[in-house]
């Protein structure tokens, strides 16, 4: 995490905030001038009041300065809140764009829970930074300079003391800030871990309940939450101690100025109005530094999230294809050459060398998490090889036109995502201009016609979110209808019969056989029924791909 109080990357990544930040700086300069004006008029007012007179111009100036400072505080709060909203909205959009650029594989590698925590609670913590710390940071620069400039002309010896003691506050603040930073980093890591684990647990709650492990996971979440609580309390302890130290240093510094001023005033060596001016301005010189130090600790979680958001969203994606890049021909040979896919905490595929010939139907088997879906993700362009390359008819996919390549692929995932739209629009997802007769043929090929007949408005029936209203088998047949409509030379199927009962599996299997006929097909399979028509069977285990012989096929799939 960056130790700088202001990250200059903000100006480059969030250009919309530059104007408001400039206004915030200008308001800080005006605030410094008003503080000096207020102290000057108040000193004159008090000096004349002690003599039994009322300085009306000084009174009017003091009231005007107080009113102007109130308006300025309101303006600072408004501008800083607008900056916070602009930065949070931009960074959230950048994070979503980064997920879109890198694809599902990158999200899995970065832990979806961490990114969700960062985009939610993490960026919300920036409010304390922009509305509390940043305005004080501006004032901690402008106000001491303005106070010193005024006190030098009023009493140079007091100005010297102020100039010598002012650096003590940032020095002590930095020493304590390093400790607070380490504690905040630990707190943020625990929060991100808790968010990621909780998201995983919620996603797998039905499985946990089915296997009687829900209560055990509750204990794990409670233990992780306790760890986050302890880390938070350590951070708060440092923040409270630092506030005490800064208050003590500031109080002693003010006393070093006030005592000599009082002695000189009693001895007649200093005018009353000058002494009052120095005594009123001296605390103002230390106040912004003390406030910035205390509010810095409240904003450190936001700074940690800001640094991670800027770093994560700026992570470069795989090189984009240049204009006029070659378009691979999916009807040709596909080769994996020494492909390795390594994520942050694991290696999904290890040194995969594989040739897929045109028209070949390949079944891929292996335990869950072995890397089967990653293999398909590489062909889809969702996952980028850490090393090695994938070529189609000699064209490297890393430099190819991925959009043109994907138009030659048909993909049936484990869980087809359906949108809250009509059934026809869901099937036409990749080919929105498909004529009605072609759509009807795809519906028949996917054995979806009986489903359509049972819906109140047929193909025009609007589905609920995520296809609510259809069973798992029916959703898979919608995905198969999409693939039929695509009419692509390469078909990728990721366990299309998973979670289906026997009747639904039989229907989907028949439709799948019609879909892969005459096409190059890669089929991730757990059930033996999917292997009958395969030309080759590959086993993926611990990230390594091996080809099975006919004799070992039955043993490997048991």
């Amino acid at each position: 995490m960056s130790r700088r109080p202001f990250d200059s990357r903000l100006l480059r990544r969030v250009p919309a905030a530059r104007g408001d930040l400039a206004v915030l700086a200008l308001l800080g300069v005006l605030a410094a001038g008003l503080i000096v004006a207020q102290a000057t008029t108040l000193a004159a007012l008090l000096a004349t009041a002690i003599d039994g007179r009322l300085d009306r111009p000084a009174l009017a100036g003091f009231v005007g300065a107080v009113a102007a400072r109130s308006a300025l505080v309101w303006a600072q709060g408004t501008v800083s809140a607008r900056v916070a909203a602009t930065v949070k909205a931009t960074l959230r959009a950048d994070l979503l764009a980064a997920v879109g650029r890198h694809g599902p594989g990158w999200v899995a590698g970065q832990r979806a829970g961490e990114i969700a925590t960062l985009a939610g609670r993490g960026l919300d913590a920036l409010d304390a930074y922009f509305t509390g710390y940043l305005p004080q940071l501006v004032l901690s620069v402008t106000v001491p300079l303005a106070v010193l400039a005024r006190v030098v002309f009023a009493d140079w010896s007091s100005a010297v003391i102020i100039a010598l003691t002012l650096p003590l506050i940032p020095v002590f603040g930095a020493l304590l800030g390093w400790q607070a930073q380490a504690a905040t980093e630990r707190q943020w890591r625990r929060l991100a871990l808790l968010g990621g684990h909780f998201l995983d647990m919620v996603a797998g709650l039905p499985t946990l309940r089915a296997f009687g492990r829900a209560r055990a996971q509750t204990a794990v979440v409670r233990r992780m939450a306790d760890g986050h609580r302890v880390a938070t309390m350590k951070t708060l302890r440092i923040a409270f101690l630092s506030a005490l130290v800064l208050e003590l240093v500031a109080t002693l510094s003010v006393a070093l100025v006030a005592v000599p001023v009082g002695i000189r005033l009693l001895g007649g060596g200093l005018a009353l109005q000058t002494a009052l001016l120095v005594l009123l301005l001296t605390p103002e010189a230390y106040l912004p530094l003390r406030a910035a130090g205390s509010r810095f600790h409240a904003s450190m979680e936001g700074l940690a999230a800001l640094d991670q958001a800027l770093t994560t969203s700026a992570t470069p994606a795989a090189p984009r294809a240049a204009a006029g890049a070659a378009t691979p021909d999916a009807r040709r040979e596909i080769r994996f050459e020494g492909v390795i896919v390594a994520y942050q905490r694991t290696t999904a595929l290890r040194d995969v060398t594989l040739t897929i010939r045109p028209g070949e139907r390949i079944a891929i088997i292996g335990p869950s998490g072995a890397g089967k879906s990653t293999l398909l993700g590489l062909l889809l362009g969702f996952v980028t090889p850490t090393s090695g390359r994938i070529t189609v008819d000699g064209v490297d996919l890393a430099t190819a036109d991925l959009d043109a390549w994907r138009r030659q692929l048909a993909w049936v995932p484990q869980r087809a995502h359906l949108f809250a739209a009509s059934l026809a629009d869901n099937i036409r997802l990749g080919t929105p201009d498909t004529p009605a007769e072609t759509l009807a043929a795809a519906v028949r090929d996917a054995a979806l016609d009986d489903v359509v007949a049972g819906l109140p408005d047929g193909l025009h029936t609007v589905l609920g979110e995520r296809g609510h209203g259809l069973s798992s088998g029916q959703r898979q047949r919608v995905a198969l209808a999409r693939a039929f409509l695509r009419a692509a030379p390469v078909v990728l199927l990721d366990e299309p019969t998973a979670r289906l009962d026997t009747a639904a599996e039989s229907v989907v299997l028949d439709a799948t056989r019609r879909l892969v006929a005459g096409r190059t097909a890669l089929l991730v399979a757990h059930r033996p029924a999917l292997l009958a028509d395969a030309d080759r069977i590959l086993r993926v285990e611990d990230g390594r791909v091996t080809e099975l012989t006919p004799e070992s096929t039955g043993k490997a799939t048991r």
Side-chain angles (χ1 to χ4, degrees), residues 290-377:
R290 286 158 44 199
S294 60
R295 294 188 180 185
F296 176 69
H297 296 287
S299 65
M300 285 195 75
E301 182 180 348
L303 280 172
L306 174 64
D307 180 73
Q308 186 175 348
L310 290 171
T311 303
T312 302
S313 60
T315 304
R320 303 289 295 180
T327 301
D329 187 350
R331 295 168 298 181
R332 304 292 185 177
E333 187 176 80
I334 302 172
R335 292 179 59 86
F336 288 70
E337 300 176 3
V339 172
I340 297 175
V341 177
Y343 293 135
Q344 200 170 25
R345 295 175 177 84
T346 186
T347 300
L349 292 175
R350 307 171 189 271
D351 195 23
V352 176
T353 299
L354 172 67
T355 300
I356 302 171
R357 291 178 286 275
E360 196 169 32
R361 288 167 294 184
I362 297 178
I364 304 170
I365 63 173
S368 296
K372 303 186 299 298
S373 296
T374 302
L375 205 60
L376 299 189

Side-chain angles (χ1 to χ4, degrees), residues 379-405:
L379 287 175
L380 287 163
F382 294 160
V383 180
T384 304
T386 307
S387 64
R389 66 175 191 155
I390 303 168
T391 63
V392 182
D393 194 26
V395 178
D396 193 339
L397 284 186
T399 59
D401 185 341
L402 282 181
D403 289 335
W405 163 246

Side-chain angles (χ1 to χ4, degrees), residues 154-506:
D155 181 27
W156 67 268
S157 61
S158 297
V160 170
I161 297 174
I162 295 173
L164 291 176
T165 54
L166 267 176
L168 293 177
I169 294 181
V171 167
F172 279 99
L175 292 175
L176 292 165
W178 289 336
Q179 297 298 319
Q181 176 182 293
T184 304
E185 287 177 342
R186 288 194 296 270
Q187 177 196 11
W188 173 251
R189 284 196 300 268
R190 287 184 178 276
L191 178 62
L193 185 63
L194 174 61
H197 184 81
F198 189 73
L199 181 63
D200 289 342
M201 190 188 72
V202 170
L205 191 57
T207 303
L208 291 172
R209 295 194 65 181
F211 285 90
R213 298 296 297 169
R215 292 187 181 277
Q217 286 300 313
T218 301
V220 172
V221 171
R222 184 181 295 112
R223 186 166 61 251
M224 295 173 71
D226 285 340
H228 177 252
R229 176 184 57 79
V230 171
T232 301
M233 294 306 296
K234 288 181 179 178
T235 305
L236 292 175
R237 188 181 302 119
I238 295 173
F240 292 147
L241 289 175
S242 65
L244 174 63
V245 171
L246 294 180
E247 289 289 338
L248 181 62
V249 172
T251 302
L252 292 176
S253 300
V254 171
L256 289 175
V257 176
V259 171
V261 166
I263 293 173
R264 290 164 59 199
L265 179 62
L266 290 174
L270 198 64
L272 176 60
Q273 183 172 339
T274 302
L276 288 172
L277 177 63
V278 172
L279 292 176
L280 288 171
L281 281 178
T282 299
E284 295 285 0
Y286 298 100
L287 180 60
L289 290 168
R290 286 158 44 199
S294 60
R295 294 188 180 185
F296 176 69
H297 296 287
S299 65
M300 285 195 75
E301 182 180 348
L303 280 172
L306 174 64
D307 180 73
Q308 186 175 348
L310 290 171
T311 303
T312 302
S313 60
T315 304
R320 303 289 295 180
T327 301
D329 187 350
R331 295 168 298 181
R332 304 292 185 177
E333 187 176 80
I334 302 172
R335 292 179 59 86
F336 288 70
E337 300 176 3
V339 172
I340 297 175
V341 177
Y343 293 135
Q344 200 170 25
R345 295 175 177 84
T346 186
T347 300
L349 292 175
R350 307 171 189 271
D351 195 23
V352 176
T353 299
L354 172 67
T355 300
I356 302 171
R357 291 178 286 275
E360 196 169 32
R361 288 167 294 184
I362 297 178
I364 304 170
I365 63 173
S368 296
K372 303 186 299 298
S373 296
T374 302
L375 205 60
L376 299 189
L378 285 165
L379 287 175
L380 287 163
F382 294 160
V383 180
T384 304
T386 307
S387 64
R389 66 175 191 155
I390 303 168
T391 63
V392 182
D393 194 26
V395 178
D396 193 339
L397 284 186
T399 59
D401 185 341
L402 282 181
D403 289 335
W405 163 246
R406 287 179 183 136
R407 283 194 289 269
Q408 304 177 71
L409 304 179
W411 180 40
V412 180
Q414 292 183 31
R415 297 181 181 178
H417 190 95
L418 303 186
F419 298 89
S422 70
L423 178 59
D425 288 339
N426 271 284
I427 298 173
R428 286 194 184 108
L429 184 64
T431 52
D433 300 324
T434 301
E437 56 273 15
T438 307
L439 176 64
V443 167
R444 286 194 304 273
D445 289 336
L448 196 61
D449 40 5
D450 60 328
V451 177
V452 173
L455 295 175
D457 297 320
L459 285 170
H460 301 292
T461 301
V462 177
L463 304 179
E465 186 178 356
R466 297 187 180 183
H468 180 71
L470 299 182
S471 68
S472 297
Q474 290 169 345
R475 286 196 290 269
Q476 286 301 97
R477 280 188 270 174
V478 172
L480 287 169
R482 286 174 178 170
F484 275 111
L485 211 57
R486 193 82 163 177
V490 175
V491 180
L492 308 176
L493 301 101
D494 193 351
E495 301 186 62
T497 60
R499 300 171 304 280
L500 302 184
D501 57 32
T502 304
E505 179 186 28
S506 176

